[in-house]
Amino acid sequence: MATVRVNQGGRPATVTQASIVAAGRELGMAALSVAAVAGRLGVSPAALYRHVQNRWHLERLVGESLLADLSLDAAVAPGVPDVPDDLETQLLRFGRVLHDFAAARPGLADYLLTLFPRGETGLRLMETEAAALRAHGLSDDAAVAASNAVASTAFALVAAEERRRDAAATDHDGGFAAELQAATDRFEAQPWLAAVVPALPEVSGEDYGRLLLATFVRGLVATLGAEPGAATSDSIVADLSGRLVRAGEPPIDPHPRTTPNPLEG
């Protein structure tokens, strides 16, 4: 990727939508703002508003550009010997590809969790995975619901990992470290945990996230049932709503959609 050159004097810097996107990519989604991009280009924020409508438009331009680098080939056609080609494996591969891609680009997970898809690139990714799930027998609406659920879980795991990492990295006054130690002390002070903790497996934060994703996918496949092709988004919601009711929770009350975005809650 070419580095954006900031004009240090003489003629005013030329700003184009392409240069804005390039500067935004260099900054990364976590540091992205109109002011930050303008500063990197050596212009005033007002100069950017000739090319972007607002910060949401800026986020979409940069986010979609980053998503264009993502290939789902490893998820939909891994070509790995001895790896089963079943629905659970397909969903797990999809989640892992999304997780790893977002984890390598700080701030992207939050962008994707806020609203997805925002543009044509995100839409094509959704269509690719939905087609792979249809090949495993899912209906159109069940394929969209399943892919969205796995994607949301993968991105949420990345966002949580980033928040923990950022808390430690910006702990200049030691407040977070003190809170962490206090929480650890309270945990270790519980007598009933003394025998339990040594028996728990110790895994890295990354591996713990992989375990959580695998757990979610396994539960999702179980929810789809023995005949995934018969599942619809309505039947999935009805099944999960029934489980909530049995746990003493209020039921889910689906309502007619008022937005064209199938992934908006």
Side-chain angles (χ1 to χ4, degrees):
M1 181 179 65
T3 300
V4 174
R5 300 296 182 186
V6 177
N7 191 358
Q8 300 295 339
R11 295 170 56 187
T14 300
V15 178
T16 64
Q17 196 169 91
S19 67
I20 290 171
V21 171
R25 286 178 62 103
E26 290 182 3
L27 286 165
M29 296 300 292
L32 187 67
S33 69
V34 171
V37 171
R40 195 166 190 86
L41 293 175
V43 299
S44 69
L48 264 63
Y49 285 115
R50 300 189 183 98
H51 305 276
V52 298
Q53 299 167 6
N54 46 44
R55 76 177 182 91
W56 298 105
H57 186 200
L58 174 64
E59 282 187 0
R60 174 161 54 84
L61 290 173
V62 177
E64 290 298 299
S65 175
L66 290 170
L67 278 179
D69 297 336
L70 172 59
S71 170
L72 290 181
D73 289 347
V76 300
V80 180
D82 302 323
V83 173
D85 184 23
D86 55 28
L87 178 59
E88 183 173 340
T89 303
Q90 169 61 41
L91 287 168
L92 187 55
R93 286 197 305 255
F94 175 59
R96 284 294 295 162
V97 168
L98 295 185
H99 176 282
D100 293 351
F101 183 83
R105 296 157 180 82
L108 183 61
D110 273 335
Y111 162 78
L112 295 167
L113 282 170
T114 301
L115 180 62
F116 180 81
R118 292 200 204 182
E120 291 299 319
T121 303
L123 186 59
R124 283 196 299 272
L125 291 173
M126 186 179 74
E127 289 173 345
T128 299
E129 178 59 15
L133 295 179
R134 286 196 297 270
H136 285 283
L138 266 64
S139 64
D140 287 345
D141 61 330
V144 170
S147 59
N148 179 49
V150 172
S152 296
T153 301
F155 296 143
L157 288 171
V158 173
E161 293 162 8
E162 289 181 354
R163 283 193 292 272
R164 288 192 293 269
R165 185 173 60 248
D166 292 345
T170 58
D171 187 28
H172 305 304
D173 61 359
F176 176 72
E179 283 293 302
L180 178 60
Q181 186 60 53
T184 302
D185 292 343
R186 284 192 294 272
F187 188 85
E188 294 177 346
Q190 302 299 315
W192 68 276
L193 289 172
V196 175
V197 173
L200 295 174
E202 186 172 352
V203 297
S204 67
E206 179 182 354
D207 284 345
Y208 185 65
R210 293 171 63 198
L211 288 172
L212 288 177
L213 184 60
T215 301
F216 175 81
V217 168
R218 185 174 184 180
L220 176 60
V221 171
T223 300
L224 292 171
E227 298 182 8
T232 66
S233 57
D234 286 341
S235 69
I236 294 171
V237 171
D239 176 76
L240 295 176
S241 179
R243 295 174 188 273
L244 288 170
V245 171
R246 287 196 295 274
E249 295 289 326
I252 302 296
D253 183 21
H255 52 274
R257 180 160 296 281
T258 58
T259 169
N261 180 5
L263 303 184
E264 182 179 307

